[in-house]
Amino acid sequence: MFDKNIYQKRRAGLLDKVDKGLILLLGNVDVAYNYKGNTYAHSRQDSSFLYYFGLQQAGLAALLDVESGAITLFGDDLTLEDVVWMGPHPSLAELASEVGVPQTATFAQLAPQLAKAKSAGRPIHFLPPYRYRNMLLLHQWMDIPVDDLSKKASIALVKAVVSQRSHKGPEEVAEMEKALAVTAEMHLSVMKGAKPGRTEAELAGLAEGIAASHGGYLSYPIILSINGHILHNHDHSNVLKAGDLLLGDFGAETASCYAGDITRTFPVGGTFSAQQKAIYEIVLHAEMSAIEACRPGIRYRDVHLQAARNMAEGLKGLGLMKGDLDDAVAQGAHALFFPHGLGHMIGLDVHDMEDLGEQYVGYTDSVHRSDQFGTAYLRLARELEPGFVFTVEPGIYFIPELIDQWRTEKKFEAFINYEAINPYRHFGGVRVEDNVLITESGYRVLGPPIPKQVEELETL
Ligand code: GLY
Ligand code: MN
């Protein structure tokens, strides 16, 4: 938890940004695993609630009155029976005082306050819910069908929260550096442990254990696979063989819930084949050039397209692409190999604020989402500003199903040499990813360096 002044300043900033009415911020509760009393071991507070209140406890909510400036924290103290099973916990009043909130009330007092505001015709601003318990509460309180809650969420509140959370303060950057220090330890251990005969599951368990041993957890489910071409592959059932290309995309979340998100790809047994090395170096070059292009004012979509162009050029050098590459990228032919976006904001969420709507986080009134396959998946397209932290993660993948479909459709035959792709059919995928902060004059790559040059990886 940060100093209470930080939360007070953030809440004052939020109250300034919303015109009128009540702002309702809901915390999370623990989620049942297989029956009510057996919850997931890792509980997770809502990130916006955490941003404004810093409290990790389950079952909290807050109301901020835009007109009066009053802020109330709602929750319930533990009963004696709770204490028998769970031990003593700070009271609600103690929690509130730690983060500078003067007023508390029981959770049951929240519904009547909302009902009163509703009957007085005051707007009640709430964020799009993603947990079922909060959906049900909002449905009951606001009398809105569950399926319409996201549509009825307050755009004014979403925009206000996004404008604050998008610019990371030095205290947040310091937490992200900590997340990345743990993430580096996870990646180095996996690299050193990736020997023929070991399983993906053993290495995923090793990485998860390191994250947990630092008092936090994972910032998202581990992707660690010899089938790196399956973008969000959470299967860990393979045994590693010498020469397999292993893609590891995983990161730690600190105890304060700031995320790291790093990808490295390397050969099991320590030596790249000529084919692997050629593709790897194209991706690495695209990643490093994209990072170098980052500065305030540049549109991230332009950095994405630059990376796509760079990789298309490398693929043309290998004979896999052909023709005019500006046209190829403009038409989206590169997406056969690079079907995702270059990166996303990161902070309290690995895809930061994705629950609030990517159109408000990564896009603006003048920067709209493309509907072209590949670029449509870009989560961040807008102009970069100092304080933004985001990922840079180009990749090249050989996805047999996609290749077959495009080939059958004779898609982009002017730009893609389908015959030349055959020897790469079982290649898998390469992605390289780092986390970057925009400074006043340029960028800074966050976290300790994690090996990514071919020689470094082979030596390790
Ligand atoms: N780390 C997974 C992703 O960025 O989607
Ligand atoms: Mn990522």
Side-chain angles (χ1 to χ4, degrees):
M1 188 186 296
F2 302 125
D3 188 272
K4 70 167 84 158
N5 293 329
I6 292 200
Y7 301 108
Q8 284 169 324
K9 232 198 245 161
R10 290 174 179 175
R11 293 191 298 260
L14 181 63
L15 283 167
D16 269 352
K17 283 173 190 286
V18 176
D19 262 1
K20 55 179 183 203
L22 290 175
I23 296 170
L24 169 63
L25 292 172
L26 292 175
N28 284 335
V29 293
D30 290 343
V31 176
Y33 184 46
N34 51 348
Y35 53 91
K36 192 164 177 272
N38 198 30
T39 56
Y40 281 95
H42 179 67
S43 62
R44 180 54 156 83
Q45 184 57 286
D46 173 75
S47 296
S48 291
F49 192 85
L50 211 43
Y51 182 79
Y52 293 105
F53 291 92
L55 299 168
Q56 305 260 6
Q57 285 74 8
L60 300 175
L63 266 189
L64 295 82
D65 187 318
V66 178
E67 274 85 8
S68 73
I71 299 173
T72 310
L73 183 68
F74 295 84
D76 294 314
D77 287 330
L78 295 192
T79 63
L80 185 60
E81 264 185 274
D82 291 331
V83 172
V84 169
W85 289 94
M86 296 152 59
H89 283 53
S91 67
L92 184 69
E94 285 165 338
L95 293 176
S97 139
E98 274 181 61
V99 293
V101 179
Q103 213 160 287
T104 62
T106 64
F107 202 84
Q109 289 175 287
L110 179 51
Q113 290 208 22
L114 293 172
K116 196 169 142 205
K118 249 179 84 186
S119 61
R122 299 187 71 196
I124 298 171
H125 302 271
F126 62 88
L127 297 173
Y130 54 90
R131 289 247 184 132
Y132 289 110
R133 184 248 187 191
N134 286 345
M135 289 181 190
L136 290 175
L137 288 175
L138 285 169
H139 163 66
Q140 286 166 11
W141 294 334
M142 308 300 296
D143 201 18
I144 297 172
V146 167
D147 288 343
D148 291 348
L149 282 166
S150 285
K151 273 185 280 177
K152 300 276 182 179
S154 163
I155 293 171
L157 179 59
V158 164
K159 286 185 170 174
V161 172
V162 168
S163 72
Q164 288 185 284
R165 285 183 56 190
S166 293
H167 299 92
K168 272 63 180 178
E171 72 287 350
E172 298 186 277
V173 173
E175 283 301 306
M176 298 179 79
E177 297 269 21
K178 278 191 216 163
L180 286 162
V182 179
T183 302
E185 193 183 326
M186 293 157 71
H187 276 273
L188 282 169
S189 299
V190 165
M191 285 172 185
K192 289 178 187 165
K195 305 209 161 101
R198 297 197 80 185
T199 63
E200 294 166 342
E202 280 177 79
L203 297 175
L206 180 67
E208 184 171 344
I210 292 169
S213 74
H214 285 272
Y217 193 54
L218 300 170
S219 43
Y220 53 97
I222 288 178
I223 298 164
L224 180 57
S225 177
I226 56 174
N227 293 313
H229 60 287
I230 302 173
L231 300 181
H232 280 177
N233 185 356
H234 299 131
D235 175 76
H236 300 139
S237 61
N238 293 301
V239 180
L240 306 181
K241 300 187 304 301
D244 283 341
L245 200 53
L246 186 62
L247 184 151
D249 179 346
F250 46 86
E253 179 177 273
T254 57
S256 60
C257 294
Y258 281 88
D261 178 4
I262 297 287
T263 307
R264 290 291 183 266
T265 311
F266 57 92
V268 175
T271 311
F272 284 91
S273 69
Q275 192 190 52
Q276 289 168 343
K277 189 171 164 184
I279 298 290
Y280 184 84
E281 288 196 317
I282 294 170
V283 176
L284 181 63
H285 169 69
E287 196 237 14
M288 293 173 65
S289 310
I291 291 173
E292 273 170 36
C294 291
R295 60 179 183 273
I298 194 166
R299 274 193 187 178
Y300 202 54
R301 176 151 52 213
D302 291 338
V303 186
H304 167 88
L305 293 172
Q306 176 198 302
R309 176 73 168 71
N310 266 332
M311 291 194 285
E313 209 165 293
L315 291 166
K316 186 173 177 178
L318 296 179
L320 301 180
M321 288 191 76
K322 59 186 176 177
D324 183 299
L325 294 183
D326 290 331
D327 285 349
V329 170
Q331 292 178 40
H334 64 280
L336 178 65
F337 307 100
F338 175 40
H340 61 75
L342 185 63
H344 50 84
M345 292 269 213
I346 180 167
L348 280 165
D349 308 300
V350 61
H351 291 176
D352 209 23
M353 302 171 278
E354 194 167 294
D355 58 317
L356 305 183
E358 267 172 21
Q359 70 270 39
Y360 303 111
V361 178
Y363 293 83
T364 64
D365 292 343
S366 54
V367 182
H368 302 283
R369 189 184 282 275
S370 157
D371 56 10
Q372 187 183 80
F373 176 77
T375 304
Y377 293 115
L378 182 59
R379 302 178 195 279
L380 173 63
R382 59 182 291 186
E383 285 92 357
L384 301 177
E385 294 178 11
F388 282 15
V389 182
F390 54 90
T391 67
V392 180
E393 50 178 312
I396 291 181
Y397 313 89
F398 293 87
I399 304 167
E401 297 79 1
L402 188 62
I403 295 167
D404 290 347
Q405 167 97 10
W406 281 28
R407 186 177 192 159
T408 306
E409 290 172 2
K410 303 188 187 309
K411 202 163 167 170
F412 295 128
E413 280 188 323
F415 305 122
I416 294 166
N417 187 352
Y418 287 101
E419 277 308 310
I421 294 176
N422 284 337
Y424 293 81
R425 201 174 163 80
H426 302 292
F427 180 94
V430 171
R431 179 163 64 253
V432 182
E433 174 178 27
D434 285 295
N435 301 170
V436 173
L437 164 73
I438 293 296
T439 62
E440 290 300 326
S441 56
Y443 71 86
R444 182 155 70 82
V445 178
L446 297 181
I450 302 172
K452 62 181 177 181
Q453 299 296 336
V454 165
E455 315 78 65
E456 290 176 317
L457 291 168
E458 292 193 333
T459 306
L460 195 69

